[in-house]
């Protein structure tokens, strides 16, 4: 319901305005003050020994940050750089922080997105509520570049390159601050970052177009890859920031979906909860982020659909050139 207030101008927003508006003003004031304290030096921020690239947004909810993080890591790895990823680890509860993921780390420890990034890229991934703590561990691992998954508003950590990911369809909703609207920061923040990435729809003049390109469906048990059009009687579910985006993707692929079920972002699934969905069809299709949480109790009729961030070739090169340029300059300034 809160997203309907934020993005669909639901009548409940008007009814709750007397309560939400003062809270929204308080959130804006606190966020602005905290940022100003770091920028003025009143609060100390950490400067890493290697470049830090922040991939974030100014709105709450999923905008497509993680696919961009994966793309950046993979592209920089191809160029010979050792890349580390820092994350808050939302949805996980590690035995201690900062926590360096291993190949066997589960989402209940680190959260779902860090596990996905680790599995896809094999990069060093560290989670910690205080991102500078994660960054320090990555520095000790000998990485060349650090990418933070989210953290645009984490001003306790200095950064060299900033990305804002924009949901091309929902944009900035009603333009109000949390909890009346989805904003973490004002839209004036858009003019201060290096790259604005528009996920889907038509980008504005100063934005780079990005699309999420799905590949073959992958079986959670066997690892078999199949064209999704060859799967029948599919039950689709998604526990991501904006589930309708996943369902729309399936529709565009002409997948034989007979039932859909949306869950909250980062939801920890119970096995029976997912198994019960099977009463609506013969096979399950889910997002890759959900797959990492269902892997341990998956059945042979369960599949996931991976997606990859795709950019226009010229813009992709522009992004990589900027990061590499910063890396080269950073090395000189640090020596």
């Amino acid at each position: 319901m809160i997203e309907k207030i934020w993005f669909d101008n639901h009548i409940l927003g008007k009814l709750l305005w007397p309560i939400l508006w003062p809270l929204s003003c308080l959130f804006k004031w606190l966020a602005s003050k905290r940022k100003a304290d770091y920028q003025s030096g009143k609060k100390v921020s950490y400067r890493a020994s290697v470049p830090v690239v922040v991939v974030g947004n100014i709105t709450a909810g999923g905008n497509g940050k993680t696919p961009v993080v994966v793309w950046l890591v993979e592209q920089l790895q191809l160029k010979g750089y050792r890349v580390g990823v820092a994350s808050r680890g939302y949805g996980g509860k590690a035995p201690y922080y900062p926590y360096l993921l291993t190949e066997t780390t589960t989402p209940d420890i680190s959260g779902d997105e860090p596990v996905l990034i680790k599995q896809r890229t094999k990069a060093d991934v560290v989670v910690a509520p205080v991102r500078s703590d994660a960054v320090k561990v990555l520095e000790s691992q000998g990485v060349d570049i650090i990418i933070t998954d989210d953290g645009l508003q984490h001003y306790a950590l200095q950064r060299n390159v900033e990305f804002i990911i924009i949901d091309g369809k929902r944009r900035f909703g009603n333009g109000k601050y949390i909890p009346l609207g989805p904003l973490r920061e004002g839209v004036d923040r858009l003019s201060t970052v290096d790259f604005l990435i528009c996920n889907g729809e038509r980008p504005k003049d100063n934005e780079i177009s990005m699309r999420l390109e799905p590949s073959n469906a992958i079986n959670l048990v066997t690892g078999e890859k199949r064209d999704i059009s060859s799967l029948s009687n599919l039950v689709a579910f998604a526990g991501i920031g904006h589930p309708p985006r996943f369902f729309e993707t399936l529709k565009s692929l002409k997948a034989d979906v007979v039932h859909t079920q949306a869950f909250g972002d980062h939801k920890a699934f119970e096995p029976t909860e997912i198994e019960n969905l099977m009463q609506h069809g013969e096979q399950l299709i889910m997002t890759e982020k959900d797959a990492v949480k269902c892997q341990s109790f998956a059945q042979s009729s369960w599949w996931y659909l991976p997606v990859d961030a795709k950019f226009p070739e010229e813009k992709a090169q522009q992004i990589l050139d900027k990061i590499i340029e910063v890396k080269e300059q950073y090395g000189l300034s640090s020596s």
Side-chain angles (χ1 to χ4, degrees), residues 218-252:
I218 301 177
N219 190 280
L220 271 72
V221 175
T222 67
E224 176 189 359
K225 296 181 180 181
R226 290 176 59 178
D227 190 303
I228 197 168
S229 63
S230 68
L231 304 176
S232 59
N233 291 306
L234 289 167
V235 175
F237 76 92
I240 58 177
H242 187 47
R245 183 186 295 124
F246 178 60
F247 303 144
E248 289 167 6
T249 296
L250 295 174
K251 184 178 179 180
S252 70

Side-chain angles (χ1 to χ4, degrees), residues 219-222 224 282-284 297-303:
N219 190 280
L220 271 72
V221 175
T222 67
E224 176 189 359
E282 296 178 2
Q283 303 182 87
L284 285 182
F297 54 86
Q299 299 179 13
S300 59
S301 59
W302 296 8
W303 303 77

Side-chain angles (χ1 to χ4, degrees), residues 152-171:
L152 189 70
Q153 291 77 37
H154 190 75
Y155 292 108
L157 177 64
Q158 296 182 33
R159 65 290 304 268
N160 305 93
V161 181
E162 291 182 320
F163 289 77
I164 285 180
I165 314 302
I166 301 167
D167 184 322
K169 186 172 185 179
R170 300 193 299 173
R171 302 294 295 183

Side-chain angles (χ1 to χ4, degrees), residues 36-50:
D37 285 347
Y38 280 110
Q39 290 181 329
S40 66
K42 187 175 181 180
K43 288 187 176 182
V44 179
S45 59
Y46 180 71
R47 183 180 188 271
S49 59
V50 297

Side-chain angles (χ1 to χ4, degrees), residues 15-35:
L15 297 176
L16 294 178
W17 184 281
I19 299 173
L20 298 181
W21 173 247
L23 294 174
S24 179
C25 292
L26 177 62
F27 181 94
K28 178 181 179 180
W29 180 81
L30 289 172
S32 300
K33 183 179 186 303
R34 184 173 181 275
K35 179 179 179 180

Side-chain angles (χ1 to χ4, degrees), residues 9 37 45 68 88 91 119 128 130 157 181 193 208 226 269-271 287 320:
N9 197 31
D37 285 347
S45 59
V68 175
R88 183 179 181 276
Q119 291 181 355
V130 179
L157 177 64
V193 301
I208 295 176
R226 290 176 59 178
F269 296 114
E270 293 294 333
T287 70
L320 296 174

